[in-house]
Amino acid sequence: MLNKICKIFLHIFCLTPLIGCDGNERKSRSDHFDGKKYYNPTLQKQFSPGLSDIYQMMREGRPDWPDRIENKGVSQLDATLGPDGFSLTFVNHATFLIQFAGVNVLTDPVWSERASPVSWIGPKRVRKPGIPISKLPNIDLILISHNHYDHLDIKTLKLLSDKFNPVVVVPIGDKKLLNSVGIRNVKELDWWESISMEEGSTITFTPTQHSSARGLFDRDKSLWGSYFIKYRQRSIYFGGDAGYSSHFSETRKRLGPPDVALLGIGAYAPRFFMKSIHMDPAEAVLAHKDLGANQSVGMHFGTFQLSSESFDQPLKELGIALLEQGVKESAFTTLQDGETRLFLNN
């Protein structure tokens, strides 16, 4: 019985984790903050699952995933990129190493074995990270989309901070959490706020439709979002976690179409539970079109079993969605864990 209760909570840490951390410091109201909590202006009814919803999800069961999958990707971490080139290396889940000439960026870095506040239970990775953390180049910047355990991993962030002292960019409300564990080089952003990397290069924190929590009592006390990276003449959109909504077209309207969009295609079943906060592959293709991305790369699948779809279902459904929506397969692809893709021509 105790084990079943643990599973009800811990297998969905992307939604209802256990350890509280109320780091909200915003005082003024906005179109996504009511004075106490953040909310999704794109949702008429806010997503706030109760224990009955969680129990129903667990009763539906889950297909078996492999215990372990070997990575096949080939990394190229020292490729010559040129002044306007960049590379993407898929570590796995939502972790990418983005390399420009002289600047290295990590998104939502998670190297821990479990997406959990404890080491003995919770969603366990079925793949090793595509790059050993010891093999990373110097990391200049880390982008955190929100504070769920499969995206904000304190253990990994402390290791990276101690080794590289990068700037860590977080949504408003999460700086206090990082400061509390000794990570000081932190920048906190609200939607549409930006920081500069160098002249003519900016990173803008953009909206998504999602939620936040690290405990039972801090739900939506910090913000969530995505990032639009503009580096010289190139641009990359990192989607974080998101339900499908109008924020993709709004981002394109304000910032223009990205060269590459990194979009979630997994952790979407059952739909009654996940639709508001995680896209299915068909919705991810819609997001690709809304953004006007030249190229999209799927993420957030095949590492942690967080939901009810089968292990290979996201890739199968992505192929079907591309065909049905008339999008070329080459325009929306995925990478092997550990694989590097070079983007050398503007």
Side-chain angles (χ1 to χ4, degrees):
M1 183 63 178
L2 178 60
N3 185 53
K4 186 173 183 179
I5 293 173
C6 287
K7 285 183 178 180
I8 288 175
F9 285 99
L10 290 167
H11 276 297
I12 52 169
F13 267 125
C14 59
L15 303 173
T16 52
L18 296 178
I19 294 178
C21 179
D22 183 354
N24 178 51
E25 296 176 358
R26 172 163 288 279
K27 302 299 181 183
S28 60
R29 294 173 181 267
S30 71
D31 70 345
H32 53 278
F33 183 70
D34 65 9
K36 293 183 178 180
K37 290 187 176 184
Y38 294 91
Y39 64 94
N40 293 293
T42 49
L43 285 177
Q44 290 185 343
K45 183 179 180 180
Q46 296 303 301
F47 174 77
S48 184
L51 290 178
S52 61
D53 298 311
I54 298 168
Y55 185 67
Q56 181 181 344
M57 175 184 172
M58 298 303 295
R59 285 189 64 186
E60 290 193 4
R62 298 184 180 193
D64 290 334
W65 273 36
D67 291 329
R68 209 66 173 177
I69 297 290
E70 293 300 317
N71 294 330
K72 298 180 180 179
V74 177
S75 302
Q76 302 178 62
L77 306 186
D78 56 357
T80 301
L81 299 173
D84 292 317
F86 67 93
S87 68
L88 296 176
T89 302
F90 184 45
V91 178
N92 46 34
H93 198 55
T95 306
F96 285 86
L97 172 63
I98 304 171
Q99 295 182 274
F100 301 99
V103 177
N104 297 318
V105 182
L106 277 176
T107 65
D108 288 354
V110 178
W111 264 262
S112 291
E113 186 67 10
R114 294 183 185 272
S116 168
V118 294
S119 61
W120 52 276
I121 196 169
K124 185 177 182 180
R125 62 170 63 247
V126 301
R127 303 179 185 271
K128 294 180 180 179
I131 310 169
I133 198 167
S134 61
K135 300 295 185 181
L136 286 173
N138 182 70
I139 301 301
D140 302 287
L141 187 67
I142 293 174
L143 306 179
I144 302 295
S145 63
H146 63 295
N147 71 3
H148 290 153
Y149 287 94
D150 60 318
H151 294 262
L152 195 162
D153 177 16
I154 288 293
K155 181 179 178 181
T156 295
L157 290 176
K158 288 177 69 176
L159 288 171
L160 294 171
S161 181
D162 290 345
K163 186 173 183 179
F164 302 116
N165 192 33
V167 175
V168 184
V169 185
V170 300
I172 192 164
D174 287 326
K175 182 177 180 179
K176 185 181 292 184
L177 170 62
L178 270 61
N179 287 169
S180 72
V181 296
I183 301 173
R184 300 296 176 188
N185 199 4
V186 182
K187 302 291 185 182
E188 198 174 55
L189 297 181
D190 199 351
W191 287 348
W192 304 117
E193 291 182 342
S194 301
I195 63 168
S196 296
M197 289 189 286
E198 60 178 47
E199 185 177 355
S201 299
T202 59
I203 294 177
T204 303
F205 189 50
T206 47
T208 60
Q209 182 176 286
H210 198 57
S211 64
S212 69
R214 289 182 77 82
L216 296 176
F217 306 107
D218 67 335
R219 180 171 296 280
D220 299 339
K221 293 294 185 70
S222 65
L223 193 53
W224 49 89
S226 51
Y227 291 91
F228 195 99
I229 304 167
K230 178 71 174 178
Y231 189 81
R232 298 175 183 169
Q233 301 303 311
R234 310 307 296 270
S235 56
I236 302 171
Y237 175 82
F238 169 62
D241 269 1
Y244 178 73
S245 80
S246 60
H247 67 264
F248 295 108
S249 56
E250 177 66 16
T251 297
R252 178 184 182 177
K253 181 179 178 181
R254 292 199 186 203
L255 301 175
D259 292 317
V260 178
L262 310 177
L263 299 172
I265 62 170
Y268 56 84
R271 296 307 284 154
F272 86 89
F273 197 95
M274 294 293 189
K275 183 174 177 60
S276 295
I277 55 170
H278 289 155
M279 294 184 291
D280 64 19
E283 291 170 328
V285 176
L286 288 174
H288 161 81
K289 295 195 293 185
D290 288 353
L291 286 164
N294 184 55
Q295 168 82 49
S296 287
V297 177
M299 64 174 182
H300 206 263
F301 69 97
T303 302
F304 298 105
Q305 188 175 17
L306 301 171
S307 54
S308 299
E309 71 268 13
S310 62
F311 177 76
D312 57 356
Q313 191 173 341
L315 295 179
K316 291 179 179 179
E317 292 193 8
L318 177 61
I320 293 170
L322 292 171
L323 182 63
E324 291 180 344
Q325 296 188 43
V327 176
K328 294 180 180 179
E329 289 187 3
S330 59
F332 197 138
T333 60
T334 58
L335 298 176
Q336 294 283 344
D337 299 58
E339 181 182 353
T340 300
R341 182 169 296 171
L342 305 179
F343 297 83
L344 302 180
N345 299 315
N346 196 349

